[in-house]
Structure formats: structure tokens, C-alpha cells
């Protein structure tokens, strides 16, 4: 469904992502794990058109979408839950969701709202509340709900566990599972390796801008020594 | 009873300031930019409207004059954004500020060139005579100004807080990058913001025109200064603040003029603004800290 071919990303300081190749098939939930500054967010931003790649191609549903303007990406069926949630703090919860449905044009978007409120009842309770006043976990759910309002076929989640308490992480990931079960194709970025491996079908491991490993959670766990070396997770074992 | 009259006069004047300040603060909210030529858009619109309406057509109903002024200002404001601000979107923030000052000078000198340095006098017929009740006398013009500013502010408020486009404007003001990820085109929203913000100034042009019936090239500078003061007084980027700041400024000026001296009205209004800022650096309704994450 999504293919990255030899993707290279460069900022002023130099290449941060080099010749990355990735494939995510329809219905899969695929992880991208790697430590701080490995280049995960840069790849996600490139898929969303926020960053223009130096070279390489991005194919979505067989179509070359490299260099598409960010505002045109939701129309392709790709929704992106950005790192750090980036909810609109001064808008109400419901207004945030309605902005998520912007690409559908005018209307009440009652069906989409109902679906999101069904998945996240807490958002229905807080619908009239200022989004910035909610807890981190609630804001993460709002960010996911907002992305779902666009009715995507492909969902990018950039570190949904960031800054959340373990119990909250668990309920956020339960929801991600639920969304995946309903048929969503998901690309999940995580620094938390164990958490990611518990929830994905397959994962890529990125280190300093290069993909160094790829496989199912079992395959990756079997190569624990290498994983530790790449991810610096050794001290945790 | 005189005092009630003065309140109404002050609020009418304040309503006009509020309209200009609303546009100024809206543009600031979206672009984080002081639109230094906002007052000059107001002034230049005045010349165009006076030229086409009074001298070319004459006798148009005031409501139509108001709409023409809003349309002219809107187009002018969007042209200013394209010429003076869009090319510098990625530049350091001082650059569009200076470009705005340049645009202000260009509009003033263009007005000088086309219409000359002198004051032009004219009158718009608002179609309502003076009203008196319970011993007070209010000119029909002031009632029209008051009513028109209230209606325009309410419509604007509905647009910004209750419509899909208004939501997109507020989302873009908060976080343009994330807004673009929702399918919103920030460049379109910015253009629209200038269109709407300048239309509010255009409405003020027609209303002030009805009140004073005089225009001169430097009028834009003093009006821009008042919009600036009113926005800061209320809290930059805050819509309610702009209205409150504008009304306060208008009332202050009228009371200063009638109880102290008309010569001091600007000095006292600015003095009070400085005092307020000493006590509340973010304005009357401004937030102390941004709680964003
Ligand atoms: N806009 C930018 N300009 C210049 N350098 C950048 C920019 N964005 C990111 N970088 C650099 O690119 C590298 C990769 O950053 P990126 O945010 O993609 O990493 P990440 O894997 O998402 O890290 P984290 O896990 O901390 O979120 C880092 O060294 C970062 O400092
Ligand atoms: Mg990141």
C-alpha cells in the first residue's frame, strides 16, 4: 500500500535519512523503531509532504506521491498523528475533530463524529471543553480521533506513547489495536521497543538514518543482541 | 443626561476603532505580524470610495456605500498581502514588518499623488435624522454607526467561531503546519484573513466617513495607531480584547475631549494604554502564558 524507495532526506546540516526502503501492505500494522534522532519523524514528515526528500520515491496505492503538498495528502487517504500530538489547544474537543474532517467539505460530519465518540467516549464527554485543558492521554486520543475524522485508509502514528503514564499508554494502544482490527493499515513509530513489538505485525529498525533490520517481532526478539546494539536497550535487560 | 449622550458618542467612535482593531488583531493572530499598512488600507479605501461613490454615482443608499467600502478594502488588503507579505513568508520576521512600513508609505504617497495633499470633504447620507428622547439628542449617524458596528462584529464572530472556514482560520493561527496536515491550505487562509480583516477596516472607512466627512493622506497613520493601541490594550490576537480595547479608546477620547481638552484626547488615550500595559503586559484580556504542547 505504501512503498518508500531509496528515500534520502537532507536538512542544512546534512543527510539524516539515507536510502531508506520500506513497504507496508494493506491491513498491516508495521513498526519503525529507533532511538532519539534516528530519523523516524523525518520519514513520517516526508510521507505527509511536510519535508521534501532529497531523492527517492514514495508510492501510495501504486501512485507516485513524492512531493505532494501537505494539504493534499489527507485526500489520498493518509492521516498523520504527529509527534507531540499537536492538538489545537484553544479549540474545543469537537472543533478539533471537525478540523480533522476538513477535507470532506461542509456538513455536520455526524457519522464520523459518532464513530470517533464511540471509540473514545471520553472525547464525547469533553466535547465542549477547551482541548488544551485535557490530560496528555486524552489529548493523544483526541489527536488520533482527529486523524480518523478524515476517514483515512492509512494511519501514521508518531510516538503515541510519548510522555504518557504506563496505564494510559495501555489504553491508547488498546484503541490502536481496535482501529487496526477494523481494517486500518498503520505505520507506528516508537522509541519504546518492547511496546512496539507487542503490537506490530512487522517492524523496521532504524539507526542513524539507515534501516538496519526488518522482521516480525519474533525474528527481531531472536536477534536481541543486535537489537540492543542498535537501539541501546541493553541496560534494560 | 449629557453624560448618556457622551457614552453613546464614545461607544459609536469606539465601535469604529473596534472594527479596525479586529482586522489588525486577526491578521496578527494568523501571521504573528503587525500589519503596519492596515491604517493605510483604511485611508486608501476612503479615497477610492469617495471618488467612485460620491463623485461618480452620488446619492447611493448608505448600506450600499458600506458594502462597496468593504469590498474595496478587502481587495486592497489581499493585494497588499500578495505584494508586501507573501514573498517574505520564510524570511526573518523583521522583513515583513519593514515591508509593511514600505507599503504604508507607498499608499500614502500614492494618495498624495492622485488626490493631492489637501483634505477632501464630502458627506454620506445615512438616511436617518437626529433622534431625541427623554431630553437627550443623538445624531442619526451615531446610531447607524453603533448599530452597524454591532451587527458587523456579530457576523464576524459567527464566521470565526461557528463556521468551517472560521475553524480553519483559528486552527491555522494556532499551528499552520498541523492545520495543513488536515487538508487546510494555509496560504489560502492567510489571503482570506487579509480579505476579511481589511473588509472590517473598509466598514470602518464608510462609518468614519459618515461621521466626519473628511479624508486626507495621513488619516491612515492615526487610525492605524488607534487600531494598534486598541489591540494591545485588549490583548494582541484576542478578538474580544480588540472590541473591548476599541470601545474603551473611543469612550476615553470622547470624555477627554468634553471634560478636559480635545487637544489631549490622543495623549490621554495613549497614556492610559501605557498604564494598562504596565499593570497587565499582555493587555486586559491577553493570556499570561501560552499553554501549548
Ligand atoms: N527541521 C530540521 N532541520 C534540521 N535538522 C533537523 C530538522 N528536523 C530534524 N532534524 C535532525 O534530523 C535528525 C533526525 O530527526 P528526527 O526528528 O527525524 O528523529 P526521530 O527519530 O524522530 O527522533 P525522536 O525519537 O527523538 O523523535 C536529528 O538529528 C534532528 O536533529
Ligand atoms: Mg520523532
Amino acid at each position: 500500500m505504501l512503498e518508500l524507495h531509496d528515500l534520502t532526506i537532507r536538512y542544512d546540516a546534512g543527510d539524516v535519512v539515507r536510502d531508506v526502503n520500506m513497504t507496508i501492505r494493506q491491513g498491516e500494522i508495521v513498526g519503525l523503531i529507533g532511538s532519539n534522532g534516528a530519523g523516524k519523524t523525518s520519514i513520517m514528515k516526508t510521507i505527509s509532504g511536510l519535508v521534501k526528500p532529497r531523492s527517492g520515491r514514495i508510492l501510495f496505492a501504486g501512485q507516485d506521491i513524492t512531493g505532494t503538498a501537505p494539504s493534499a495528502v489527507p485526500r489520498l487517504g493518509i492521516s498523520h498523528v504527529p509527534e507531540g500530538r499537536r492538538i489545537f489547544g484553544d479549540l474545543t474537543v469537537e472543533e478539533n475533530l471537525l478540523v480533522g474532517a476538513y477535507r470532506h467539505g461542509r456538513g455536520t460530519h455526524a457519522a464520523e463524529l459518532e464513530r470517533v465518540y464511540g471509540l473514545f467516549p471520553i472525547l464525547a464527554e469533553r466535547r465542549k471543553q477547551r482541548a488544551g485543558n485535557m490530560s496528555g492521554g486524552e489529548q493523544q486520543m483526541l489527536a488520533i480521533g482527529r486523524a480518523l475524522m478524515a476517514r483515512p485508509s492509512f494511519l501514521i502514528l508518531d510516538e503515541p506513547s510519548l510522555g504518557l503514564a504506563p496505564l494510559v499508554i495501555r489504553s491508547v494502544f488498546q484503541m490502536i489495536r481496535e482501529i487496526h482490527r477494523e481494517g486500518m493499515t498503520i505505520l507506528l513509530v516508537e522509541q519504546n521497543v518492547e511496546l512496539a513489538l507487542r503490537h506490530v505485525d512487522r517492524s523496521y529498525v532504524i539507526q542513524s538514518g539507515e534501516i538496519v533490520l526488518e522482521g516480525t517481532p519474533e525474528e527481531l526478539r531472536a536477534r536481541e543482541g543486535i537489537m540492543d546494539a542498535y537501539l541501546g536497550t541493553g541496560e534494560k535487560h | 443626561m449629557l453624560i448618556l449622550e457622551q457614552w453613546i458618542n464614545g461607544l459609536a467612535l469606539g465601535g469604529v476603532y473596534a472594527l479596525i482593531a479586529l482586522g489588525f488583531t486577526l491578521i496578527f493572530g494568523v501571521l504573528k505580524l503587525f500589519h503596519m499598512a492596515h491604517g493605510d488600507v483604511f485611508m486608501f479605501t476612503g479615497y477610492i470610495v469617495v471618488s467612485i461613490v460620491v463623485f461618480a454615482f452620488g446619492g447611493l443608499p448608505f448600506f450600499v456605500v458600506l458594502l462597496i467600502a468593504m469590498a474595496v478594502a478587502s481587495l486592497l488588503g489581499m493585494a497588499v498581502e500578495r505584494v508586501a507579505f507573501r514573498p517574505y513568508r520564510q524570511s526573518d520576521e523583521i522583513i515583513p514588518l519593514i515591508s509593511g512600513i514600505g507599503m504604508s508609505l507607498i499608499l500614502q504617497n500614492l494618495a498624495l499623488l492622485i488626490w493631492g495633499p489637501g483634505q477632501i470633504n464630502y458627506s454620506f447620507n445615512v438616511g436617518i435624522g437626529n433622534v431625541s428622547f427623554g431630553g437627550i439628542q443623538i445624531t442619526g449617524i451615531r446610531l447607524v454607526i453603533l448599530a452597524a458596528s454591532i451587527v458587523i462584529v456579530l457576523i464576524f464572530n459567527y464566521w470565526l467561531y461557528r463556521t468551517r472556514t472560521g475553524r480553519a482560520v483559528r486552527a491555522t493561527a494556532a499551528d499552520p503546519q498541523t492545520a495543513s496536515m488536515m487538508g487546510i491550505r494555509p496560504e489560502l487562509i492567510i489571503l482570506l484573513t487579509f480579505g476579511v480583516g481589511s473588509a472590517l477596516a473598509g466598514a470602518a472607512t464608510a462609518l468614519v466617513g459618515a461621521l466626519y466627512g473628511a479624508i486626507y493622506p495621513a488619516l491612515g497613520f492615526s487610525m492605524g495607531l488607534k487600531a494598534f493601541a486598541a489591540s494591545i490594550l485588549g490583548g494582541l490576537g484576542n478578538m474580544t480584547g480588540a472590541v473591548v480595547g476599541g470601545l474603551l479608546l473611543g469612550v476615553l477620547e470622547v470624555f477627554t475631549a468634553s471634560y478636559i481638552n480635545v487637544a489631549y484626547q490622543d495623549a490621554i488615550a495613549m497614556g492610559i494604554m501605557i498604564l494598562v500595559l504596565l499593570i497587565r503586559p499582555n493587555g486586559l484580556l491577553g493570556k499570561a502564558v501560552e499553554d501549548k504542547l
Side-chain angles (χ1 to χ4, degrees):
Chain A
M1 189 170 206
L2 182 82
E3 295 168 40
L4 308 183
H5 291 291
D6 300 321
L7 201 66
T8 295
I9 303 167
R10 162 174 288 186
Y11 299 119
D12 296 334
D15 289 356
V16 295
V17 168
R18 265 178 310 278
D19 294 326
V20 160
N21 287 283
M22 288 173 68
T23 303
I24 296 104
R25 288 181 288 271
Q26 174 131 25
E28 271 190 316
I29 173 162
V30 173
L32 176 61
I33 51 184
S35 51
N36 256 327
K40 306 179 296 295
T41 298
S42 301
I43 297 176
M44 300 308 119
K45 284 187 169 175
T46 308
I47 299 171
S48 287
L50 295 168
V51 170
K52 303 273 170 272
R54 194 167 97 85
S55 62
R57 289 189 311 147
I58 303 168
L59 300 187
F60 183 72
Q63 187 191 345
D64 192 336
I65 64 160
T66 322
T68 305
S71 58
V73 169
R75 242 176 294 144
L76 301 169
I78 299 176
S79 273
H80 183 159
V81 181
E83 182 175 54
R85 308 185 275 272
R86 306 279 286 263
I87 57 149
F88 304 111
D90 278 336
L91 274 62
T92 66
V93 168
E94 186 150 299
E95 284 175 335
N96 268 272
L97 294 175
L98 290 172
V99 171
Y102 187 82
R103 79 164 183 109
H104 298 310
R106 282 168 216 296
T108 60
H109 309 299
E112 289 90 350
L113 278 176
E114 197 178 329
R115 165 146 185 262
V116 170
Y117 285 149
L119 279 169
F120 304 106
I122 186 76
L123 298 183
E125 258 170 60
R126 303 270 153 101
R127 60 199 290 170
K128 297 284 174 220
Q129 193 173 313
R130 190 179 164 275
N133 292 346
M134 296 201 304
S135 73
E138 289 163 352
Q139 291 190 12
Q140 187 63 58
M141 294 184 196
L142 177 57
I144 297 173
R146 183 181 62 182
L148 292 177
M149 290 295 290
R151 261 192 271 122
S153 53
F154 188 90
L155 188 63
I156 294 171
L157 295 163
D158 195 344
E159 293 205 47
S161 70
L162 194 73
L164 302 183
L167 219 62
V168 181
I169 294 180
R170 185 187 291 181
S171 65
V172 167
F173 272 77
Q174 252 164 24
M175 293 324 303
I176 294 173
R177 267 225 154 109
E178 173 73 24
I179 294 161
H180 178 236
R181 223 188 346 261
E182 288 177 7
M184 186 75 66
T185 309
I186 296 177
L187 177 52
L188 172 69
V189 170
E190 263 302 333
Q191 267 197 57
N192 184 333
V193 177
E194 250 324 298
L195 181 66
L197 291 185
R198 274 204 303 276
H199 292 91
V200 298
D201 300 327
R202 261 184 330 117
S203 185
Y204 291 87
V205 179
I206 182 170
Q207 196 216 10
S208 307
E210 289 177 29
I211 300 288
V212 289
L213 280 177
E214 185 263 331
T216 63
E218 296 70 42
E219 289 166 354
L220 292 174
R221 282 201 185 91
R223 309 180 67 170
E224 196 172 319
I226 300 175
M227 289 278 287
D228 288 350
Y230 286 135
L231 299 168
T233 49
E235 62 274 22
K236 269 170 47 181
H237 293 277
Chain B
M1 273 313 150
L2 182 67
I3 201 150
L4 186 62
E5 244 174 82
Q6 280 160 347
W7 268 104
I8 292 181
N9 292 349
L11 289 174
L13 185 62
V16 173
Y17 291 161
L19 289 176
I20 311 176
L22 261 182
F24 184 82
T25 219
L26 176 73
I27 291 167
F28 177 84
V30 171
L31 269 190
K32 311 294 176 270
L33 163 80
F34 292 123
H35 182 2
M36 301 306 277
H38 191 55
D40 301 284
V41 168
F42 167 96
M43 172 274 297
F44 207 84
T45 299
Y47 275 111
I48 295 178
V49 169
V50 167
S51 303
I52 61 176
V53 173
V54 179
F55 298 125
F57 296 100
L60 281 177
F62 184 66
F63 179 65
V64 177
V65 175
L66 185 70
L67 289 184
I68 291 175
M70 290 177 80
V72 167
S74 182
L75 291 175
L76 191 57
M78 289 192 286
V80 165
E81 132 63 15
R82 287 304 287 261
V83 174
F85 301 126
R86 173 163 303 181
Y88 306 116
R89 208 73 88 212
Q90 311 301 331
S91 316
D92 198 82
E93 57 190 13
I94 191 82
I95 308 286
L97 195 71
I98 290 169
S99 175
I101 295 173
M103 187 45 82
S104 160
L105 292 174
I106 290 173
L107 287 174
Q108 277 182 50
N109 282 288
L110 219 54
L112 271 172
L113 206 67
I114 302 173
W115 293 285
Q119 174 169 316
I120 293 181
N121 295 301
Y122 57 92
S123 71
F124 294 143
N125 181 10
V126 298
I128 296 177
N130 293 359
V131 180
S132 57
F133 54 94
I136 56 170
Q137 263 265 340
I138 296 157
T139 60
I141 288 173
R142 290 202 163 79
L143 285 183
V144 167
I145 292 177
L146 208 51
S149 352
I150 291 171
V151 169
I152 292 168
V153 168
L154 288 178
I155 293 174
F156 172 74
N157 193 68
Y158 179 85
W159 173 77
L160 190 62
Y161 291 97
R162 292 282 174 271
T163 68
R164 170 175 178 266
T165 310
R167 270 196 302 274
V169 170
R170 286 183 295 138
T172 306
D175 184 345
Q177 190 178 72
T178 305
S180 75
M181 292 163 71
M182 308 291 132
I184 296 167
R185 290 162 58 192
E187 283 304 324
L188 212 60
I189 296 294
I190 290 170
L191 195 64
L192 187 67
T193 299
F194 273 84
V196 171
S198 305
L200 294 175
T205 305
L207 297 174
V208 170
L211 189 61
Y212 295 131
I215 190 157
Y216 48 93
L219 180 62
F221 178 76
S222 75
M223 278 298 171
L225 198 63
K226 277 167 191 175
F228 184 69
S231 315
I232 294 204
L233 198 57
L236 264 174
N238 184 311
M239 302 303 145
T240 318
V243 173
V244 170
L247 292 177
L248 206 61
L249 205 58
V251 169
L252 271 172
E253 284 190 6
V254 167
F255 276 81
T256 310
S258 45
Y259 290 103
I260 303 172
N261 188 327
V262 73
Y264 293 150
Q265 69 174 30
D266 285 356
I268 289 193
M270 294 302 148
I272 290 198
M273 181 192 87
I274 291 168
L275 262 182
V276 168
L277 291 182
L278 281 176
I279 301 161
R280 292 186 58 93
N282 294 295
L284 291 172
L285 302 177
K287 273 180 292 184
V289 277
E290 293 245 0
D291 42 359
K292 278 204 189 103
L293 191 98

